[in-house]
Amino acid sequence: MHRGGYNNFAQHVERHVFDLYHLSHKKRKRKALALNDDASTFLKHIFSRLDKDQDGYVTRQEFEDCLHFLGDSTTTNALVSLMPGCKNFSLDECAQVFFAQRKRSPSESVCFFLMMWVMPVAYSASTRLPFISLALEVTTARGGSLNQVGIILGVYQTCRSIANGLIGAFGGTQPFCRMYAPMVFLGLCGWLASFVFLDQGVWTPLSLSLVGLSEVVVCLQSGLIRETNMVAAAKTADAKHVTANLRLQYAAVSCGSCMAYIAGGALYTKFGFEAICLCGVGCQATQLIAFALYVMLSFVNARPLSERSDSPFHSIYEIVAYIGYQLEAIKIMDEERNLDGEHSQTSKAEDLASAKLLVAQKGDLVRAIGKLYDATFDKAGALPHEILMDIVVGASSTRSNVLTGPQSTAQDVSLFESSLIWSLPESSQLKREISLASKQIVATLDTNGDGKVMRGEFIHFVAPRVYAAIFGDSTPGVSVVWKYLRVVVVTQAVMALCIGSFLSTALLLYTHQFGVTASMVGLLLGIGEGLGALTIFITFMWPCIAASLGCAKETTKGKSGGVFATLLSRPLHVPMVLICVSLATMGFGMIPHFAIAIICQMIMSLMNDLSVSLLNELMATSMPPAQFEINHAFGQWLRRLGNMLTGLTGPILFGIYPGLPFVMYGGIVALWACFLWFEMHMQAVKIVPREDHFGSGPISAFMPFAGSKPFHQYEREYYFDNRNSLLRGEGKVLAYQFSDTESVLRRMRAELLVEKSKRKRLETEVAEVKRIVARMSNFIKCLDSPRIYRTFSHLADAAHEKY
């Protein structure tokens, strides 16, 4: 009976695990095909150009015809070797090529694992070890006072704050590459100094301030965002992927804290502070080794494919993307000659500005545009307008047939159809028009105005527009930092008061008031951190778990969830979790009961880790990427300032009354959570459209965000509807107005060519009219001369006499 029950349970678990995997696999595939308007337009255009017979499939011969048009025989040979003759591409497969998330190579997977798990765990363990041992080491082993404990912990927390300030000041756009290794090395020196000067007095633990300078969580989070963006099709991952990875990384941080508290407490109880120092040295050395391995593998991954193999392509999918980018580039060159902009592919200013920053990371696109230039432009690296005219127009019927399907519109093929008329002798007027269009394109692509288009000029102009045409709606568009986000940044410091009071004083309260050992305190704190990591992981996996268990409900766009779903949805879950943290902190200090203290400490540890993760996710989804780097570093700096305050004042307040630091700081966090709720409420009422409103109450105002449309999507739509008013008076509005100044100047130069051509044609026509008028005047003068009159009179008299 027992065995049968076990078998049933095992089958139940196996079935749900399989359903969970199957559901997540289908979900990933469906996401890849959920295309926005820009992506759908691009995909239909490319597929119709490739599929000449319009049978819904692209064959290898059709690919070869297109490569022949593009003048790329090398890629044709690679296509033959990589694509079997029986293989056909459907529209869905093409969508997977351009918009599905790229699979990581084995070396890239190792880099991602190091960034996600190894380095965060080692970092967290190294920086949390002092909290489980330092207070007892100073007061018990070295005979120091609580004031000395407060000073040492305050200096340590101050150095952690300084570390975040240094990252914000000198980290730049890649703080992980710039700051991680030197800061971890400082931490290694700090632990070694503490080990060497182990018995030198009360103040020698101040050498742990170097360990505080190894506060590198901002570096790790920015590195993880970069790793997440690398595999995204647009090289900028959507908010869900970013927040999910940040949440998992913070779960790894919580795991490191759990290990530090449990192992640190046990090591200190049995072996003393010497074991703590050696454990810290091991954690810092692990970080340095992991960083060295990461850099080595990243260098291998960053090498161009042409240096790693004889062929620049590893699969047929890379060739399909290569062809699609080049066809889109030709289409853009065609449309750029329409100076009225009605059919121009030129993107919105904000999309194009983002594309110019992101296209450099899209190496395959840049290589494809460069190959298009190499295959069509002259060997000197420049292109006179006569050659460009032949390239764009397509001087052979083969080019015209390849790029035009039977269902193509007249607008799509206007330039290519003109190649058939180019050879007719009576089409001199058409030749002049096409020549003028060619000169316009040269003027648009030419940067320095020398009448030639160099390779760099061509890529600089075409590549961002191809990127924007494909991924325009996927690029970050919101360029403002909302007012409530400023409050969220400051919240990093306020919420740190609760965890800071525990880090500085919980060890003292447990040992002095309840008489437990450091090993037991470490076990309790470690269990709390472990529960926090487990909570973060469960919240990450909950959508898949709920869907596999049949608990998920289908929601319609614009509909809301219930009250409970609203409280747990972004952004309202942030103040809710802060209120729980503050209440647990106050309960820990107010009720002098061991069991209640353990419960409150577990709730606080569980909710604190979750609150940090939720705050990071809220900032990452609602802030512009560039502003996120700056404000996140600033928020972490404020967070360490809060820890410094509690580290300095916690032991002093504990000397006045054991529960005073917990009650005071918990109350401050509760009041701040109410203020944050009010600021978020003002934002919610402002951004939700009238038709989606469910009320303006403290909870009903947030109900639309519990539906299928997330909070940051409402913010994005509100931003684009009110962008001019939001940017009025700010310096960044000038950046958008002049984000494509080069293109504007080029278009003005092209328009001048058109006006010059019109003026020249008009002058020619006026001169022709003057010549005709002069001839007619001369003719009239001849008719009025006496000689002509006498001649006609004689002729008239002769005729009269004859008849």
Side-chain angles (χ1 to χ4, degrees):
M1 187 72 177
H2 176 74
R3 179 173 297 178
Y6 172 78
N7 291 336
N8 292 335
F9 174 76
Q11 292 175 3
H12 176 78
V13 172
E14 181 180 4
R15 182 173 66 254
H16 282 302
V17 169
F18 175 78
D19 291 342
L20 179 63
Y21 169 79
H22 185 64
L23 179 67
S24 62
H25 178 74
K26 288 177 63 179
K27 190 176 181 180
R28 286 196 302 270
K29 186 174 181 181
R30 184 167 60 251
K31 282 182 179 178
L33 298 178
L35 307 180
N36 55 45
D37 293 339
D38 288 337
S40 298
T41 302
F42 161 79
L43 190 64
K44 292 177 181 178
H45 161 70
I46 295 302
F47 194 79
S48 64
R49 291 293 178 91
L50 292 172
D51 187 16
K52 292 191 299 182
D53 53 8
Q54 300 296 307
D55 62 348
Y57 293 94
V58 181
T59 63
R60 189 175 77 178
Q61 184 59 47
E62 289 172 330
F63 280 126
E64 291 179 2
D65 293 341
C66 186
L67 287 171
H68 177 69
F69 157 74
L70 296 171
D72 194 343
S73 58
T74 304
T75 307
T76 304
N77 298 333
L79 175 71
V80 173
S81 62
L82 292 174
M83 182 177 182
C86 58
K87 171 68 177 177
N88 296 329
F89 265 81
S90 64
L91 184 64
D92 289 340
E93 288 178 302
C94 287
Q96 293 285 338
V97 169
F98 291 103
F99 302 106
Q101 181 172 298
R102 181 176 62 84
K103 292 183 64 177
R104 299 181 187 272
S105 65
S107 58
E108 290 175 333
S109 299
V110 173
C111 289
F112 185 74
F113 177 77
L114 293 173
M115 185 69 71
M116 175 70 81
W117 295 103
V118 177
M119 288 185 277
V121 169
Y123 141 77
S124 180
S126 174
T127 54
R128 268 59 170 185
L129 282 173
F131 297 115
I132 196 58
S133 58
L134 200 54
L136 290 181
E137 177 67 17
V138 172
T139 57
T140 304
R142 308 194 183 194
S145 64
L146 290 176
N147 291 339
Q148 290 172 324
V149 173
I151 293 174
I152 294 174
L153 286 177
V155 171
Y156 177 73
Q157 295 283 30
T158 302
C159 290
R160 296 180 73 189
S161 176
I162 292 173
N164 286 287
L166 292 174
I167 293 173
F170 303 105
T173 58
Q174 295 185 355
F176 177 77
C177 300
R178 290 188 178 185
M179 306 296 292
Y180 183 82
M183 295 176 72
V184 172
F185 181 75
L186 287 177
L188 177 62
C189 294
W191 282 117
L192 288 174
S194 298
F195 178 77
V196 172
F197 304 105
L198 190 63
D199 300 321
Q200 300 299 320
V202 175
W203 298 107
T204 53
L206 284 174
S207 59
L208 291 177
S209 59
L210 294 177
V211 180
L213 292 176
S214 66
E215 179 65 35
V216 291
V217 65
V218 176
C219 298
L220 292 172
Q221 289 174 340
S222 64
L224 181 66
I225 293 175
R226 178 176 175 272
E227 285 289 326
T228 306
N229 291 336
M230 283 177 56
V231 297
K235 295 304 178 184
T236 170
D238 58 27
K240 287 187 177 180
H241 285 109
V242 173
T243 56
N245 286 341
L246 286 176
R247 186 172 296 190
L248 278 182
Q249 189 187 59
Y250 203 81
V253 172
S254 299
C255 289
S257 300
C258 175
M259 295 169 57
Y261 292 141
I262 295 176
L267 288 174
Y268 182 77
T269 301
K270 191 170 184 179
F271 300 105
F273 194 65
E274 179 181 1
I276 296 293
C277 294
L278 292 177
C279 185
V281 169
C283 291
Q284 298 295 81
T286 300
Q287 290 187 78
L288 290 175
I289 294 173
F291 178 78
L293 180 60
Y294 178 90
V295 171
M296 181 181 66
L297 294 177
S298 297
F299 176 76
V300 173
N301 297 332
R303 289 172 58 194
L305 292 174
S306 57
E307 297 181 11
R308 286 182 268 163
S309 62
D310 296 333
S311 173
F313 302 103
H314 282 174
S315 68
I316 179 59
Y317 302 99
E318 296 177 5
I319 297 180
V320 174
Y322 170 87
I323 295 174
Y325 297 145
Q326 293 192 351
L327 293 181
E328 185 66 22
I330 293 176
K331 177 187 175 184
I332 288 175
M333 284 198 299
D334 182 5
E335 293 178 341
E336 281 298 325
R337 70 188 184 91
N338 297 319
L339 298 178
D340 57 357
E342 182 180 356
H343 303 297
S344 178
Q345 190 64 33
T346 302
S347 307
K348 298 178 182 178
E350 59 271 11
D351 286 343
L352 191 58
S354 301
K356 288 183 177 179
L357 298 176
L358 297 169
V359 73
Q361 306 175 34
K362 192 72 173 166
D364 55 344
L365 191 154
V366 175
R367 285 193 296 270
I369 303 303
K371 277 295 275 185
L372 177 64
Y373 179 93
D374 296 336
T376 53
F377 282 51
D378 61 3
K379 300 298 181 181
L383 186 66
H385 66 273
E386 293 86 357
I387 302 177
L388 181 62
M389 177 178 56
D390 180 67
I391 292 172
V392 177
V393 172
S396 65
S397 60
T398 304
R399 292 186 175 185
S400 178
N401 291 335
V402 169
L403 289 185
T404 57
Q407 298 179 0
S408 299
T409 63
Q411 175 191 338
D412 292 333
V413 300
S414 56
L415 276 177
F416 301 102
E417 286 180 338
S418 62
S419 63
L420 302 178
I421 312 174
W422 182 259
S423 59
L424 299 180
E426 61 271 13
S427 60
S428 58
Q429 178 64 26
L430 181 60
K431 290 180 181 180
R432 286 194 298 269
E433 295 294 332
I434 295 177
S435 178
L436 176 60
S438 172
K439 293 178 182 179
Q440 291 173 324
I441 293 177
V442 170
T444 303
L445 298 177
D446 186 18
T447 301
N448 53 16
D450 60 354
K452 299 179 180 180
V453 181
M454 306 303 294
R455 193 176 195 272
E457 295 173 333
F458 185 78
I459 295 176
H460 177 75
F461 182 86
V462 176
R465 284 160 176 77
V466 173
Y467 182 96
I470 303 173
F471 307 108
D473 288 346
S474 302
T475 55
V478 178
S479 62
V480 298
V481 178
W482 308 103
K483 180 183 176 181
Y484 83 95
L485 287 175
R486 305 291 187 187
V487 181
V488 169
V489 173
V490 180
T491 304
Q492 299 267 14
V494 178
M495 64 181 282
L497 298 176
C498 287
I499 185 60
S501 61
F502 273 86
L503 293 176
S504 62
T505 321
L507 178 63
L508 296 174
L509 190 143
Y510 270 127
T511 55
H512 287 73
Q513 188 165 346
F514 301 117
V516 298
T517 63
S519 176
M520 178 60 67
V521 175
L523 180 62
L524 293 175
L525 293 177
I527 292 175
E529 291 293 335
L531 290 176
L534 181 62
T535 302
I536 294 173
F537 185 76
I538 290 176
T539 57
F540 168 75
M541 293 296 297
W542 177 250
C544 293
I545 295 174
S548 66
L549 296 177
C551 300
K553 296 181 180 180
E554 294 294 332
T555 57
T556 306
K557 184 176 181 181
K559 299 298 181 181
S560 72
V563 175
F564 185 70
T566 302
L567 294 175
L568 297 181
S569 63
R570 188 184 300 129
L572 194 55
H573 54 18
V574 174
M576 283 296 302
V577 171
L578 286 180
I579 291 175
C580 294
V581 169
S582 63
L583 293 178
T585 303
M586 289 189 290
F588 182 79
M590 291 175 62
I591 305 175
H593 191 279
F594 185 58
I596 295 179
I598 292 177
I599 294 174
C600 291
Q601 180 252 315
M602 295 295 175
I603 294 175
M604 199 288 308
S605 299
L606 185 150
M607 291 295 179
N608 175 73
D609 291 338
L610 183 60
S611 66
V612 175
S613 175
L614 296 179
L615 273 176
N616 292 334
E617 294 168 12
L618 178 61
M619 293 171 61
T621 54
S622 295
M623 274 189 180
Q627 291 294 324
F628 171 75
E629 297 284 348
I630 299 172
N631 285 278
H632 183 52
F634 180 65
Q636 288 296 322
W637 177 70
L638 293 176
R639 178 178 173 81
R640 301 312 165 197
L641 285 180
N643 288 337
M644 177 201 68
L645 178 63
T646 55
L648 182 64
T649 61
I652 299 174
L653 294 174
F654 179 83
I656 299 174
Y657 174 73
L660 182 58
F662 302 99
V663 175
M664 186 177 73
Y665 292 132
I668 292 174
V669 173
L671 293 176
W672 185 265
C674 296
F675 174 67
L676 178 62
W677 193 320
F678 171 75
E679 289 292 332
M680 290 182 172
H681 177 267
M682 298 292 290
Q683 177 76 356
V685 172
K686 179 173 63 176
I687 66 175
V688 176
R690 185 178 301 274
E691 59 271 13
D692 291 342
H693 262 287
F694 284 85
S696 57
I699 297 178
S700 59
F702 296 89
M703 283 186 173
F705 312 136
S708 60
K709 185 190 293 187
F711 174 67
H712 67 272
Q713 186 63 32
Y714 277 100
E715 288 184 320
R716 193 174 191 271
E717 293 176 358
Y718 177 81
Y719 167 78
F720 284 115
D721 291 340
N722 303 272
R723 183 162 60 90
N724 292 333
S725 59
L726 290 172
L727 296 178
R728 185 177 295 118
E730 299 187 18
K732 61 175 69 68
V733 69
L734 298 177
Y736 279 117
Q737 290 176 350
F738 299 102
S739 61
D740 200 21
T741 306
E742 291 182 4
S743 177
V744 173
L745 293 176
R746 293 172 183 177
R747 284 186 170 275
M748 291 175 62
R749 189 161 57 239
E751 290 175 356
L752 288 176
L753 285 175
V754 174
E755 296 301 324
K756 182 179 178 180
S757 176
K758 290 180 179 178
R759 188 188 66 182
K760 187 175 181 180
R761 187 184 305 114
L762 183 61
E763 290 176 352
T764 303
E765 293 176 355
V766 170
E768 181 67 20
V769 170
K770 288 182 178 180
R771 187 178 63 84
I772 295 174
V773 169
R775 291 181 61 183
M776 292 181 63
S777 299
N778 293 333
F779 181 72
I780 292 173
K781 289 180 180 180
C782 290
L783 292 177
D784 290 339
S785 65
R787 183 178 176 182
I788 294 296
Y789 178 76
R790 288 194 299 269
T791 302
F792 276 101
S793 298
H794 292 314
L795 291 175
D797 293 341
H800 179 72
E801 293 176 357
K802 184 176 180 179
Y803 299 101

